[in-house]
């Protein structure tokens, strides 16, 4: 495109920018569009916009788009066509939108701005020829351009033989011949133009359906979901956002998926496909739903392959989330068994929603199984049996304490998984603090029975003889009588005491007097209680034999072995001294077993 020079007063000359068309094409192909395939979308979009414009003049005009493939690709529409002035303004000028508005090619009913996508044809073509005749009158016009930026405009002599409408002819550039072949073009036309309000044929065969499946009451939406997403849905939910001109259907996945899975949807704008992997349409918690929608008021990005993140999209996301939430609540009321199946499959997303939604919280309380000492049961069923929900916020600690608690008839809930603590805290806030509370390990210790006096006396004597073994691990020994009999010892950790011990150790290592004094104040009044307690089960045969030992060295070795075993049972991280104790006790016991000391 040549630059112009315009004289101005004072001797200053004004220049217009020169445009390198090849550079722009390179920019489009490498930085804007994800693939040259978009040229098909742009051609279809221009054709449908032309038909829309003509129907404002003649509502009865045909809506046909005809494509033929061969050495060159041609696409013909029955649209409004262009005059010679419009050809110059719309096809040969880059970036001038005001004139486009004046000519009437940028109204709301159009898919895009008429002619703006013609440039994308040069992604695959070395030359583009347009023959057009306007419905407003005038001769037929031919516009011919090449990828270097040169173009010519001429009148077609045989105007009477050229119908109203436009024909675009593409000649492939070297290396891009396959983009114009029927086997490549057909699926692209089917994808992009499937719902367009026009009859699109390719080499004589209709390749688009023209109607939205969810508008047909008799349509099999499950089959449509399998065609689009490859799965048979748990449910197909009609969705609509009037403010965005959005209608469509949300498909619920039949089985669980990871919450980190990309949440992608098929989105059409004014019946033209934006993409099959569009993100951001639903809230993050609805990761188990896939949507197919058509909208008129959502803005696409510059490439028209994804959605622009603006207030309208935020409002759509919120409204669609509300509609899916309302469906979940209706499902719970009408088909409670299916609601339970859905929660079991997609519990994380629904638990996430229940953190801020009271109705969803009640649904979770009624139907979602939690891990408990009674097995996997809903919270409401657990409450009916135990009155209150006593929970432990750590998975490993629950697995260690659950068998002991169950044997004593004490019900516990595992609240160590995602969102469990938040949900239980919300239940306490709604129904009162007595409904759910965290249980301390010391409460479990208080529920265990005291031992018989004679065995308690014998064990305390052994504990005094082997005290050094537990002193090395900052652990106290407690004697109790409890089930299961197979468990010789139970390790109970006092988290508060552990924090105080860590603070004391840090204070000893700090050289700054000010910090040492401050840390000393934090640990003041902590007493001599140790952070861990080894609860010996005097019902266990091994512990009973420990009470009868007479060798102090063997007593110490047995106590340390029981401590290490309890650490492993608790699934607590092994400290260096724990690992050393494990190796030492194992080797010494092995030495005694093979006839050593």
């Amino acid at each position: 495109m040549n630059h112009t020079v315009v004289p101005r007063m004072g001797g200053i000359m004004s220049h217009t920018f020169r445009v390198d068309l090849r550079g722009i094409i390179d920019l489009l192909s490498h930085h804007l569009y994800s693939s040259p395939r978009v040229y098909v979308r742009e051609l279809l979009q221009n054709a449908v916009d032309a038909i829309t414009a003509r129907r404002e003049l003649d509502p009865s005009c045909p809506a046909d788009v005809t494509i033929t493939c061969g050495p060159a690709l041609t696409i013909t529409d029955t649209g409004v066509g262009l005059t010679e002035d419009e050809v110059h303004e719309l096809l040969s000028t880059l970036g001038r939108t005001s004139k486009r508005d004046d000519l009437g090619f940028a109204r709301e009913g159009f898919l895009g701005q008429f002619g703006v996508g013609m440039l994308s044809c040069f992604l695959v073509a070395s030359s583009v020829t347009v023959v057009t005749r306007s419905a407003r009158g005038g001769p037929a016009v031919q516009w011919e351009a090449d990828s270097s930026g040169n173009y010519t405009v001429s009148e077609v002599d045989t105007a009477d033989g050229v119908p109203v409408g436009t024909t675009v002819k593409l000649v492939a550039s070297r290396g891009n011949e396959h983009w114009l072949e029927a086997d490549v073009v057909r699926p692209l036309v089917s994808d992009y133009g499937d719902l367009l309000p026009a009859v699109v044929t390719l080499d004589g065969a209709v390749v688009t359906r023209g109607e939205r499946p969810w508008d047909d009451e008799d349509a099999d939406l499950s089959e449509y979901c399998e065609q689009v997403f490859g799965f048979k849905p748990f449910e197909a939910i009609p969705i609509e956002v009037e403010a965005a001109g959005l209608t469509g259907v949300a498909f619920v996945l039949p089985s669980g998926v990871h919450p980190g899975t990309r949440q992608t949807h098929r989105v059409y704008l004014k019946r033209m496909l934006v993409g099959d992997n569009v993100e951001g349409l639903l809230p993050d918690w609805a990761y188990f739903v896939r949507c197919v929608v058509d909208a008129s008021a959502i803005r696409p990005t510059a490439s028209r392959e994804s959605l622009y993140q603006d207030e309208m999209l935020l409002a759509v996301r919120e409204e669609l989330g509300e509609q899916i939430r309302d469906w979940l609540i209706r499902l719970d009321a009408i088909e409670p068994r299916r609601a339970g199946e859905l929660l079991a499959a997609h519990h994380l997303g629904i638990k996430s929603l229940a953190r801020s939604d009271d109705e969803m919280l009640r649904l979770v309380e009624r139907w979602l199984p939690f891990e408990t000492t009674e097995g996997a049961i809903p919270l409401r069923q657990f409450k009916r049996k135990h009155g209150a929900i006593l929970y432990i916020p750590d998975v490993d600690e629950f697995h260690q304490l659950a068998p002991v608690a169950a044997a004593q008839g004490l019900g516990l809930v595992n609240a160590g998984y995602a969102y469990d603590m938040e949900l239980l805290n919300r239940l306490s806030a709604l129904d009162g603090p007595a409904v759910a509370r965290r249980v301390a390990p010391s409460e479990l210790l208080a529920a265990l029975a005291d031992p018989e006096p004679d065995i308690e006396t014998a064990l305390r004597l052994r504990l005094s003889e082997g005290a050094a073994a537990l002193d090395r691990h900052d652990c106290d020994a407690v004697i109790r009588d409890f089930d299961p009999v197979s468990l010789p010892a139970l390790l109970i950790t006092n988290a508060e005491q552990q924090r105080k011990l860590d603070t004391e150790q840090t204070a000893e290592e700090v050289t700054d007097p000010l910090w040492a004094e401050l840390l000393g104040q934090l640990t003041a009044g902590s007493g001599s209680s140790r952070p861990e307690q080894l609860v010996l089960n005097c019902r266990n045969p091994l512990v009973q034999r420990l009470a009868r030992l007479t060798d102090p060295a063997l007593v110490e070795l047995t106590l340390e072995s029981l401590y290490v075993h309890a650490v492993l049972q608790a699934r607590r991280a092994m400290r260096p001294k724990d690992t050393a104790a494990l190796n030492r006790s194992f080797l010494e016991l092995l030495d005694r077993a093979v006839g050593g000391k």
Side-chain angles (χ1 to χ4, degrees), residues 5-15:
V5 181
V6 181
R8 299 189 62 183
M9 294 191 62
I12 300 175
M13 307 298 291
S14 177
H15 303 268

Side-chain angles (χ1 to χ4, degrees), residues 277-323:
N277 298 298
V278 177
E279 301 183 42
L281 192 65
L282 294 182
D284 290 340
W285 60 262
Y287 63 87
F288 52 90
V289 178
R290 299 289 181 268
C291 294
V292 181
V293 300
D294 178 38
S296 60
I298 299 178
R299 293 173 57 195
T301 58
S303 66
R304 284 177 277 182
E305 295 178 294
S306 57
L307 301 180
Y308 188 78
Q309 299 288 330
D310 58 6
E311 292 184 2
M312 176 59 76
L313 184 59
L314 292 176
V316 166
R317 186 182 304 148
E318 182 177 352
E319 174 62 25
L320 292 181
E322 283 295 311
Q323 293 181 25

Side-chain angles (χ1 to χ4, degrees), residues 53-342:
R54 185 176 178 185
R55 282 195 162 179
E56 293 184 0
L57 302 175
D58 178 11
S60 63
C61 77
D64 297 327
V65 179
T66 304
I67 303 172
T68 60
C69 295
L73 180 142
T74 63
I75 176 170
T76 301
D77 65 68
T78 56
V80 70
L82 301 173
T83 64
E84 182 173 349
D85 288 341
E86 290 169 349
V87 165
H88 284 287
E89 290 296 335
L90 298 178
L91 302 185
S92 311
T93 305
L94 302 181
R96 184 180 297 175
T97 58
S98 59
K99 185 64 175 177
R100 213 172 255 120
D101 294 345
D102 295 340
L103 295 173
F105 293 118
R107 291 188 296 277
E108 182 181 353
F110 290 172
L111 302 177
Q113 292 182 335
F114 188 85
V116 74
M118 191 62 66
L119 194 62
S120 67
C121 295
F122 288 109
L123 297 175
V124 299
S126 61
S127 67
V128 178
T129 302
V130 177
V131 176
T132 181
R133 183 180 180 187
S134 175
R136 298 181 178 90
V141 179
Q142 177 172 297
W143 176 89
E144 188 170 4
D146 60 38
S147 58
S148 299
N150 303 308
Y151 75 92
T152 61
V153 178
S154 60
E155 291 186 9
V156 177
D157 293 334
T158 55
D160 293 338
V162 178
V164 171
T166 300
T167 296
V168 181
K169 178 182 177 182
L170 308 185
V171 176
S173 56
R174 181 176 297 178
N176 287 313
E177 293 83 0
H178 63 286
W179 285 109
L180 306 188
E181 294 175 358
D183 289 343
V184 174
V185 176
R186 184 176 292 104
L188 296 179
V189 173
S190 179
D191 282 345
Y192 283 122
D194 193 34
L195 305 185
L196 290 176
V199 178
V200 182
T201 60
L202 191 150
D203 291 341
V206 177
V207 291
T208 57
R209 78 176 76 207
E211 295 296 330
R212 299 179 298 197
W214 54 91
D215 291 337
D216 183 358
E217 295 182 356
D218 299 325
D220 187 345
L221 293 179
S222 293
E223 182 180 347
Y224 178 65
C225 179
E226 288 190 85
Q227 294 174 0
V228 174
F229 294 119
F231 65 85
K232 188 173 183 179
F234 178 88
E235 187 71 78
I237 311 167
I239 51 179
E240 181 177 4
V241 181
E242 186 175 351
L246 182 148
T247 64
V249 58
F251 298 107
V252 181
L253 288 161
S255 57
V257 293
H258 192 278
T261 303
R262 288 178 63 235
Q263 182 197 107
T264 59
H265 313 278
R266 170 172 280 201
V267 176
Y268 295 85
L269 292 184
K270 300 173 185 174
R271 297 180 176 249
M272 176 67 76
L273 180 69
V274 173
D276 287 315
N277 298 298
V278 177
E279 301 183 42
L281 192 65
L282 294 182
D284 290 340
W285 60 262
Y287 63 87
F288 52 90
V289 178
R290 299 289 181 268
C291 294
V292 181
V293 300
D294 178 38
S296 60
I298 299 178
R299 293 173 57 195
T301 58
S303 66
R304 284 177 277 182
E305 295 178 294
S306 57
L307 301 180
Y308 188 78
Q309 299 288 330
D310 58 6
E311 292 184 2
M312 176 59 76
L313 184 59
L314 292 176
V316 166
R317 186 182 304 148
E318 182 177 352
E319 174 62 25
L320 292 181
E322 283 295 311
Q323 293 181 25
I324 294 171
R325 166 195 169 275
D326 292 344
W327 169 78
L328 287 168
I329 294 172
R330 290 195 304 272
L331 183 69
D332 178 43
I334 300 171
E335 299 181 82
R337 184 179 296 278
R338 292 191 74 215
E341 294 174 0
L342 182 70

Side-chain angles (χ1 to χ4, degrees), residues 449-456 459-460 479-481 538:
D450 292 326
E452 295 293 332
D454 55 344
I455 192 171
E456 181 179 12
L459 277 174
R460 290 199 179 280
I479 304 171
R480 289 291 187 271
D481 188 294
C538 62

